Amino acid sequence: MSKLSTALTLATSVLSTCLFSSSVFAADANNEEGFNFKDWYIGGEFGRKRQDDLCNPAFISCDSSDSAWSVFSGYEFTQNLALEFGYTDLGDYSTTSLLNTMQNKAVTSMRGYELAGVVNLPVAEHVNIFTKLGAMYYDGKERSIVGSFDDKGWAGLFGLGLSYDFTPSLQARAEYNFIHDLGDREFAGDHGHLTTLGLVYRFGKNQASAPVKSAPVVEEAIVEETVVEEVVAEPVVVAPVVVEAVQAHALFDFDKSEVKVTAELAQVAVHLVNYPQANAALMGFTDSLGSNEYNEKLALRRANAVAAYLISQGVSESQLSIKPVGETEKFGDNTILSERFKNRRVSIEIAEFNK
């Protein structure tokens, strides 16, 4: 079987494993007892590897590059930090030289076992950049008319890549890896360059949480009436009308501050107009994408936008107070795409009062 066929077969197997694991590990992803898969991922990549300083004028012919593929697994400690390990087939490269008037073709096969730390930085809603730093244990074998020779050892590894999240579970990535001193110079040249495209499947990221339910807006409590006896004249005592507290929210699109008018938000406006003595606290929130300074300004714009809408519906400006919270508090998990939108909001709190 050719290397290309082997790589394509492996890639198909990895993708099939990802889809099968979606159902097999769904229960384990949220299981807090025993081993938890929700922070693990697997993947496969296919690309091209090239070796530096292999070819020189003394060779009759030289081919220093070949197809390469890898499979790997990783564990995410946080949204930004992971540990990754895997196996890479670095392909073959060959040289042809003269040996006592005979042509000597030497073919070298190389494979590697990788262990690296990964730093991941979100740059947009679905896009991340990442870097890798670690080591590769390489295992090479050269075959020629002279005989077979082995070369094994450790090489430094540095990677840089870009990823795109199709879903919270499925991610595509493109990356470049520089492998320092990959093999003895006389045996295999010098540094290696590996460029690949691949897919990553994350366990436990396919379970969307139920949306947060807001408390209903209560406009007025029931008035309790005091019964006056006919025989004995007693003063009539009327219990005060308690207007209960109201909690509501308005959600926003990614990096936006335009208000989406909902029935819930319209009810808040009606409540504040009907009860001028009521006061509303507007608190703006964001997700974790972007700097703290930018997110605090975005949170303020969102709270001001909700205030402007309420004022346009007849609410007095004196009834409103505004506080930008930013990303320091959260309603959903920022590491999960399906949860992150819950943090792009303005929360509205109206305390209870006596009418």
Side-chain angles (χ1 to χ4, degrees), residues 180-328:
H180 184 267
D181 285 345
L182 180 60
D184 181 85
R185 292 196 176 191
E186 294 182 359
F187 177 85
D190 197 351
H191 310 310
H193 305 269
L194 178 64
T195 306
T196 57
L197 295 173
L199 289 174
V200 174
Y201 179 80
R202 295 162 166 164
F203 297 109
K205 301 295 185 183
N206 58 339
Q207 300 297 313
S209 300
V212 178
K213 294 184 178 179
S214 302
V217 176
V218 180
E219 293 193 5
E220 189 171 348
I222 299 175
V223 178
E224 297 181 2
E225 298 182 357
T226 302
V227 178
V228 180
E229 295 182 1
E230 294 181 359
V231 178
V232 180
E234 295 182 358
V236 177
V237 178
V238 180
V241 178
V242 178
V243 180
E244 295 185 1
V246 175
Q247 291 185 335
H249 69 268
L251 296 177
F252 292 80
D253 290 332
F254 173 67
D255 199 27
K256 302 295 183 183
S257 58
E258 290 77 17
V259 176
K260 298 178 180 179
V261 179
T262 61
E264 182 180 23
L265 194 56
Q267 285 182 318
V268 170
V270 171
H271 184 80
L272 291 170
V273 170
N274 289 342
Y275 300 106
Q277 65 271 50
N279 295 311
L282 311 180
M283 293 171 286
F285 299 86
T286 70
D287 59 28
S288 62
L289 298 178
S291 67
N292 291 338
E293 294 80 7
Y294 179 82
N295 284 338
E296 186 172 346
K297 293 177 182 178
L298 177 59
L300 179 60
R301 292 201 304 272
R302 287 173 174 170
N304 283 330
V306 172
Y309 166 75
L310 294 175
I311 292 171
S312 72
Q313 300 303 302
V315 177
S316 172
E317 185 176 353
S318 62
Q319 292 177 265
L320 307 176
S321 63
I322 295 173
K323 178 182 178 182
V325 180
E327 63 179 79
T328 57

Side-chain angles (χ1 to χ4, degrees), residues 93 108 110 140-142 149-151 184-189:
Y93 40 88
T108 301
M110 187 75 74
K141 188 177 187 67
E142 179 184 290
F149 305 93
D150 293 331
D151 184 24
D184 181 85
R185 292 196 176 191
E186 294 182 359
F187 177 85

Side-chain angles (χ1 to χ4, degrees), residues 31-51:
N31 183 12
E32 297 298 332
E33 298 180 359
F35 190 77
N36 197 328
F37 286 92
K38 72 183 183 67
D39 296 316
W40 288 86
Y41 61 90
I42 60 173
E45 294 178 322
F46 178 75
R48 196 80 178 170
K49 178 257 182 181
R50 180 178 61 83
Q51 192 82 357

Side-chain angles (χ1 to χ4, degrees), residues 140-195:
K141 188 177 187 67
E142 179 184 290
R143 302 175 301 278
S144 68
I145 62 174
V146 178
S148 297
F149 305 93
D150 293 331
D151 184 24
K152 302 178 181 181
W154 288 94
L157 174 72
F158 172 77
L160 182 65
L162 185 71
S163 65
Y164 181 84
D165 297 324
F166 293 113
T167 70
S169 300
L170 189 61
Q171 179 188 83
R173 63 157 68 173
E175 68 176 289
Y176 162 78
N177 287 285
F178 174 77
I179 310 169
H180 184 267
D181 285 345
L182 180 60
D184 181 85
R185 292 196 176 191
E186 294 182 359
F187 177 85
D190 197 351
H191 310 310
H193 305 269
L194 178 64
T195 306

